[in-house]
Amino acid sequence: MKTTAIINALENEAIYILREVVAQFEKPVLLFSGGKDSITLVRLAQKAFYPAKIPFPLMHIDTGHNFPETIEFRDRLVKELGLELIVRNVQTSIDEGKVKEETGKYASRNSLQTTTLLDAIEEFKFDACIGGARRDEEKARAKERIFSVRDDFGQWDEKKQRPELFDMLNGEIELGQNVRVFPISNWTELDVWSYIEKEKFEIPSIYFAHKRKVFERDNMIWSFDDAIVYRDEDEIWEERIVRFRTVGDMSCTAAVLSDAADISSVVQEIRDSSISERGARIDDKRSEAAMEKRKQQGYF
Protein backbone atom coordinates (compact mmCIF):
# COMPACT_ATOMS: atom_id res chain seq x y z
CA MET A 1 0.00 0.00 0.00
CA LYS A 2 1.19 3.53 -0.73
CA THR A 3 2.28 5.55 2.27
CA THR A 4 -0.50 7.03 4.35
CA ALA A 5 1.00 10.52 3.92
CA ILE A 6 0.66 10.37 0.11
CA ILE A 7 -2.90 9.07 0.21
CA ASN A 8 -3.88 11.67 2.82
CA ALA A 9 -2.41 14.46 0.69
CA LEU A 10 -4.37 13.31 -2.35
CA GLU A 11 -7.52 13.05 -0.27
CA ASN A 12 -7.06 16.57 1.13
CA GLU A 13 -6.54 17.99 -2.37
CA ALA A 14 -9.69 16.28 -3.69
CA ILE A 15 -11.75 17.49 -0.73
CA TYR A 16 -10.50 21.04 -1.30
CA ILE A 17 -11.52 20.83 -4.98
CA LEU A 18 -15.00 19.52 -4.14
CA ARG A 19 -15.56 22.33 -1.66
CA GLU A 20 -14.41 24.86 -4.26
CA VAL A 21 -16.97 23.44 -6.71
CA VAL A 22 -19.82 24.02 -4.26
CA ALA A 23 -18.49 27.48 -3.41
CA GLN A 24 -18.03 28.63 -7.03
CA PHE A 25 -20.86 26.99 -8.98
CA GLU A 26 -24.63 27.10 -8.71
CA LYS A 27 -25.67 23.68 -10.04
CA PRO A 28 -22.95 21.02 -9.81
CA VAL A 29 -23.54 17.33 -10.43
CA LEU A 30 -21.38 14.25 -9.91
CA LEU A 31 -21.14 12.05 -13.01
CA PHE A 32 -21.56 8.54 -11.64
CA SER A 33 -20.81 5.37 -13.59
CA GLY A 34 -20.85 2.85 -10.76
CA GLY A 35 -17.12 2.31 -11.27
CA LYS A 36 -14.39 2.53 -8.65
CA ASP A 37 -13.34 6.09 -9.53
CA SER A 38 -16.84 7.58 -9.23
CA ILE A 39 -17.46 5.58 -6.05
CA THR A 40 -14.23 7.06 -4.67
CA LEU A 41 -15.60 10.51 -5.53
CA VAL A 42 -18.73 9.75 -3.53
CA ARG A 43 -16.64 8.82 -0.49
CA LEU A 44 -14.56 11.99 -0.87
CA ALA A 45 -17.74 14.08 -1.15
CA GLN A 46 -19.10 12.46 2.01
CA LYS A 47 -15.95 13.54 3.84
CA ALA A 48 -15.89 16.99 2.28
CA PHE A 49 -19.38 17.92 3.50
CA TYR A 50 -19.84 15.79 6.62
CA PRO A 51 -22.02 15.88 8.71
CA ALA A 52 -24.29 17.32 6.00
CA LYS A 53 -25.41 15.23 3.04
CA ILE A 54 -23.64 15.51 -0.28
CA PRO A 55 -25.02 18.82 -1.66
CA PHE A 56 -25.37 17.80 -5.30
CA PRO A 57 -27.05 14.96 -7.18
CA LEU A 58 -25.43 12.01 -8.91
CA MET A 59 -26.13 11.51 -12.61
CA HIS A 60 -25.65 8.31 -14.57
CA ILE A 61 -25.71 8.28 -18.35
CA ASP A 62 -26.98 4.73 -18.81
CA THR A 63 -26.04 3.03 -22.07
CA GLY A 64 -28.33 0.09 -21.37
CA HIS A 65 -25.27 -2.11 -21.91
CA ASN A 66 -23.84 -1.87 -18.41
CA PHE A 67 -22.73 -4.83 -16.34
CA PRO A 68 -25.64 -5.94 -14.11
CA GLU A 69 -23.37 -5.90 -11.05
CA THR A 70 -22.69 -2.20 -11.63
CA ILE A 71 -26.35 -1.19 -11.84
CA GLU A 72 -27.24 -3.26 -8.76
CA PHE A 73 -24.44 -1.61 -6.80
CA ARG A 74 -25.41 1.89 -8.04
CA ASP A 75 -29.00 1.54 -6.86
CA ARG A 76 -28.02 0.07 -3.51
CA LEU A 77 -25.40 2.76 -2.81
CA VAL A 78 -27.79 5.59 -3.62
CA LYS A 79 -30.47 4.10 -1.37
CA GLU A 80 -28.10 3.47 1.54
CA LEU A 81 -26.67 7.01 1.43
CA GLY A 82 -29.97 8.75 0.69
CA LEU A 83 -28.58 10.45 -2.43
CA GLU A 84 -30.43 11.93 -5.38
CA LEU A 85 -29.79 9.97 -8.58
CA ILE A 86 -30.61 11.25 -12.05
CA VAL A 87 -30.55 8.66 -14.85
CA ARG A 88 -30.66 9.52 -18.52
CA ASN A 89 -30.64 6.76 -21.12
CA VAL A 90 -28.77 6.44 -24.41
CA GLN A 91 -31.72 4.40 -25.68
CA THR A 92 -33.83 7.56 -25.49
CA SER A 93 -31.34 9.39 -27.70
CA ILE A 94 -31.49 6.49 -30.18
CA ASP A 95 -35.30 6.42 -30.15
CA GLU A 96 -35.40 10.18 -30.79
CA GLY A 97 -33.08 9.80 -33.79
CA LYS A 98 -30.34 11.93 -32.23
CA VAL A 99 -27.75 9.13 -32.48
CA LYS A 100 -27.53 5.98 -34.53
CA GLU A 101 -26.98 2.54 -33.03
CA GLU A 102 -23.70 1.00 -34.16
CA THR A 103 -23.72 -2.46 -35.69
CA GLY A 104 -21.13 -5.13 -36.36
CA LYS A 105 -18.34 -6.87 -34.54
CA TYR A 106 -17.07 -3.87 -32.58
CA ALA A 107 -20.35 -2.03 -32.09
CA SER A 108 -20.60 -0.05 -28.85
CA ARG A 109 -22.83 2.57 -27.31
CA ASN A 110 -19.95 4.16 -25.43
CA SER A 111 -19.42 7.11 -27.77
CA LEU A 112 -23.18 7.65 -28.05
CA GLN A 113 -23.24 8.76 -24.41
CA THR A 114 -21.95 12.19 -25.41
CA THR A 115 -25.25 13.33 -26.92
CA THR A 116 -27.24 12.03 -23.95
CA LEU A 117 -24.87 13.75 -21.52
CA LEU A 118 -24.96 17.11 -23.29
CA ASP A 119 -28.77 16.97 -23.46
CA ALA A 120 -28.92 16.23 -19.71
CA ILE A 121 -26.57 19.13 -18.90
CA GLU A 122 -28.83 21.44 -20.89
CA GLU A 123 -32.00 19.97 -19.35
CA PHE A 124 -30.87 20.58 -15.76
CA LYS A 125 -28.66 23.62 -16.47
CA PHE A 126 -25.68 22.07 -14.69
CA ASP A 127 -22.69 24.39 -14.67
CA ALA A 128 -20.14 21.96 -13.19
CA CYS A 129 -19.93 18.22 -13.86
CA ILE A 130 -17.64 16.34 -11.48
CA GLY A 131 -15.93 13.32 -13.04
CA GLY A 132 -13.50 10.63 -11.96
CA ALA A 133 -10.98 10.93 -14.80
CA ARG A 134 -7.31 10.44 -13.89
CA ARG A 135 -4.20 11.62 -15.74
CA ASP A 136 -2.71 8.12 -15.90
CA GLU A 137 -5.70 6.58 -17.71
CA GLU A 138 -5.10 7.84 -21.24
CA LYS A 139 -2.86 10.50 -22.78
CA ALA A 140 -5.73 12.83 -23.78
CA ARG A 141 -6.84 12.98 -20.15
CA ALA A 142 -3.37 14.11 -19.13
CA LYS A 143 -4.08 17.37 -20.99
CA GLU A 144 -7.02 18.22 -18.76
CA ARG A 145 -7.15 20.92 -16.11
CA ILE A 146 -8.87 20.32 -12.78
CA PHE A 147 -11.48 22.88 -13.85
CA SER A 148 -11.84 22.06 -17.56
CA VAL A 149 -13.99 24.56 -19.45
CA ARG A 150 -16.47 23.41 -22.12
CA ASP A 151 -17.98 25.84 -24.60
CA ASP A 152 -21.70 26.46 -25.14
CA PHE A 153 -21.79 23.42 -27.44
CA GLY A 154 -20.29 21.26 -24.70
CA GLN A 155 -17.03 20.86 -26.60
CA TRP A 156 -13.47 20.82 -25.26
CA ASP A 157 -10.47 22.61 -26.75
CA GLU A 158 -7.24 21.78 -24.92
CA LYS A 159 -5.57 24.88 -26.41
CA LYS A 160 -8.05 27.19 -24.71
CA GLN A 161 -7.77 25.79 -21.19
CA ARG A 162 -6.70 28.12 -18.42
CA PRO A 163 -3.42 27.75 -16.56
CA GLU A 164 -3.87 26.51 -13.00
CA LEU A 165 -1.27 28.00 -10.71
CA PHE A 166 -0.80 26.49 -7.28
CA ASP A 167 -4.26 25.93 -5.76
CA MET A 168 -6.03 28.78 -7.54
CA LEU A 169 -9.09 27.31 -9.26
CA ASN A 170 -10.90 29.75 -11.54
CA GLY A 171 -14.59 28.92 -11.85
CA GLU A 172 -15.55 32.00 -13.88
CA ILE A 173 -17.51 30.90 -16.95
CA GLU A 174 -19.53 32.65 -19.65
CA LEU A 175 -23.23 32.14 -20.29
CA GLY A 176 -23.76 28.71 -21.83
CA GLN A 177 -20.40 27.33 -20.78
CA ASN A 178 -19.91 24.64 -18.17
CA VAL A 179 -16.96 23.09 -16.45
CA ARG A 180 -15.88 19.49 -16.03
CA VAL A 181 -14.14 19.04 -12.69
CA PHE A 182 -11.62 16.29 -11.99
CA PRO A 183 -10.84 16.08 -8.25
CA ILE A 184 -8.75 12.91 -8.59
CA SER A 185 -6.86 13.87 -11.74
CA ASN A 186 -3.57 13.65 -9.82
CA TRP A 187 -4.35 10.11 -8.65
CA THR A 188 -3.26 6.87 -10.31
CA GLU A 189 -5.10 3.57 -10.51
CA LEU A 190 -2.90 2.34 -7.68
CA ASP A 191 -3.76 5.42 -5.60
CA VAL A 192 -7.48 4.73 -6.02
CA TRP A 193 -7.10 1.11 -4.94
CA SER A 194 -4.87 2.09 -2.04
CA TYR A 195 -7.56 4.55 -0.93
CA ILE A 196 -10.25 1.87 -1.19
CA GLU A 197 -8.04 -0.39 0.90
CA LYS A 198 -7.48 2.35 3.49
CA GLU A 199 -11.12 3.47 3.69
CA LYS A 200 -12.60 -0.04 3.42
CA PHE A 201 -15.64 0.99 1.37
CA GLU A 202 -17.48 -1.41 -0.89
CA ILE A 203 -17.17 -1.55 -4.68
CA PRO A 204 -18.92 -3.83 -7.21
CA SER A 205 -17.94 -7.49 -7.09
CA ILE A 206 -17.01 -7.37 -10.78
CA TYR A 207 -13.63 -5.85 -9.81
CA PHE A 208 -12.63 -9.04 -8.00
CA ALA A 209 -11.82 -12.48 -9.40
CA HIS A 210 -14.94 -14.50 -10.12
CA LYS A 211 -16.09 -17.29 -12.41
CA ARG A 212 -17.72 -15.91 -15.53
CA LYS A 213 -18.84 -17.03 -18.97
CA VAL A 214 -16.45 -15.41 -21.43
CA PHE A 215 -15.04 -15.77 -24.94
CA GLU A 216 -11.83 -14.60 -26.61
CA ARG A 217 -11.41 -12.18 -29.50
CA ASP A 218 -8.29 -10.32 -30.61
CA ASN A 219 -6.42 -11.76 -27.61
CA MET A 220 -8.92 -10.11 -25.25
CA ILE A 221 -11.50 -11.68 -22.97
CA TRP A 222 -15.12 -10.62 -23.41
CA SER A 223 -18.15 -11.22 -21.21
CA PHE A 224 -20.58 -13.66 -22.78
CA ASP A 225 -23.94 -11.93 -23.27
CA ASP A 226 -25.37 -12.46 -26.73
CA ALA A 227 -28.08 -9.85 -26.12
CA ILE A 228 -25.43 -7.12 -25.88
CA VAL A 229 -21.98 -8.34 -26.94
CA TYR A 230 -21.56 -9.40 -30.57
CA ARG A 231 -20.13 -12.92 -30.91
CA ASP A 232 -19.29 -14.86 -34.05
CA GLU A 233 -20.50 -18.44 -34.34
CA ASP A 234 -16.94 -19.75 -34.07
CA GLU A 235 -16.25 -17.73 -30.90
CA ILE A 236 -17.02 -20.31 -28.23
CA TRP A 237 -17.71 -19.28 -24.66
CA GLU A 238 -16.27 -20.98 -21.61
CA GLU A 239 -16.14 -20.37 -17.88
CA ARG A 240 -12.94 -18.77 -16.58
CA ILE A 241 -11.77 -16.94 -13.48
CA VAL A 242 -11.53 -13.26 -14.42
CA ARG A 243 -11.96 -9.76 -13.07
CA PHE A 244 -12.42 -6.31 -14.62
CA ARG A 245 -9.95 -3.48 -14.04
CA THR A 246 -12.29 -0.89 -15.52
CA VAL A 247 -16.06 -0.94 -15.89
CA GLY A 248 -17.60 0.52 -19.04
CA ASP A 249 -19.98 -0.83 -21.65
CA MET A 250 -20.06 -4.64 -21.74
CA SER A 251 -19.45 -4.44 -25.49
CA CYS A 252 -16.17 -2.53 -25.20
CA THR A 253 -14.69 -3.58 -21.83
CA ALA A 254 -12.57 -6.71 -21.64
CA ALA A 255 -11.71 -8.78 -18.59
CA VAL A 256 -8.33 -9.99 -17.37
CA LEU A 257 -7.40 -13.41 -16.06
CA SER A 258 -6.88 -13.00 -12.34
CA ASP A 259 -7.12 -14.74 -9.00
CA ALA A 260 -7.16 -11.44 -7.06
CA ALA A 261 -10.26 -11.94 -4.93
CA ASP A 262 -9.71 -9.21 -2.35
CA ILE A 263 -8.45 -5.64 -2.21
CA SER A 264 -4.92 -6.39 -1.03
CA SER A 265 -4.49 -8.92 -3.85
CA VAL A 266 -5.75 -6.39 -6.41
CA VAL A 267 -3.34 -3.74 -5.10
CA GLN A 268 -0.41 -6.13 -5.49
CA GLU A 269 -1.57 -7.20 -8.96
CA ILE A 270 -1.73 -3.57 -10.14
CA ARG A 271 1.65 -2.84 -8.59
CA ASP A 272 3.13 -5.68 -10.67
CA SER A 273 1.26 -4.85 -13.90
CA SER A 274 2.96 -3.17 -16.86
CA ILE A 275 -0.29 -2.65 -18.79
CA SER A 276 -2.67 0.31 -18.34
CA GLU A 277 -6.21 -0.46 -17.26
CA ARG A 278 -7.41 1.32 -20.42
CA GLY A 279 -5.69 -1.46 -22.35
CA ALA A 280 -8.88 -3.42 -21.74
CA ARG A 281 -11.08 -0.77 -23.42
CA ILE A 282 -11.53 -1.50 -27.12
CA ASP A 283 -13.17 1.91 -27.71
CA ASP A 284 -9.83 3.59 -26.94
CA LYS A 285 -8.17 1.59 -29.72
CA ARG A 286 -10.33 2.69 -32.65
CA SER A 287 -7.70 5.24 -33.53
CA GLU A 288 -4.58 6.79 -32.05
CA ALA A 289 -6.61 9.81 -30.92
CA ALA A 290 -9.94 8.09 -30.18
CA MET A 291 -10.34 9.46 -26.65
CA GLU A 292 -9.22 12.97 -27.61
CA LYS A 293 -11.76 13.16 -30.43
CA ARG A 294 -14.57 12.02 -28.11
CA LYS A 295 -13.53 14.58 -25.51
CA GLN A 296 -13.53 17.38 -28.09
CA GLN A 297 -17.13 16.46 -28.89
CA GLY A 298 -18.19 16.63 -25.23
CA TYR A 299 -17.40 13.17 -23.83
CA PHE A 300 -16.58 12.72 -20.13
Side-chain angles (χ1 to χ4, degrees), residues 94-108:
I94 295 171
D95 293 343
E96 292 175 349
K98 294 181 177 179
V99 294
K100 185 177 180 181
E101 182 89 80
E102 294 182 2
T103 58
K105 194 172 185 178
Y106 298 104
S108 170

Side-chain angles (χ1 to χ4, degrees), residues 126-148:
F126 291 127
D127 53 2
C129 300
I130 305 163
R134 307 185 322 269
R135 296 185 192 277
D136 71 319
E137 285 182 277
E138 201 276 343
K139 59 186 179 182
R141 286 188 162 162
K143 298 178 181 180
E144 285 281 17
R145 302 294 191 267
I146 293 173
F147 278 12
S148 182

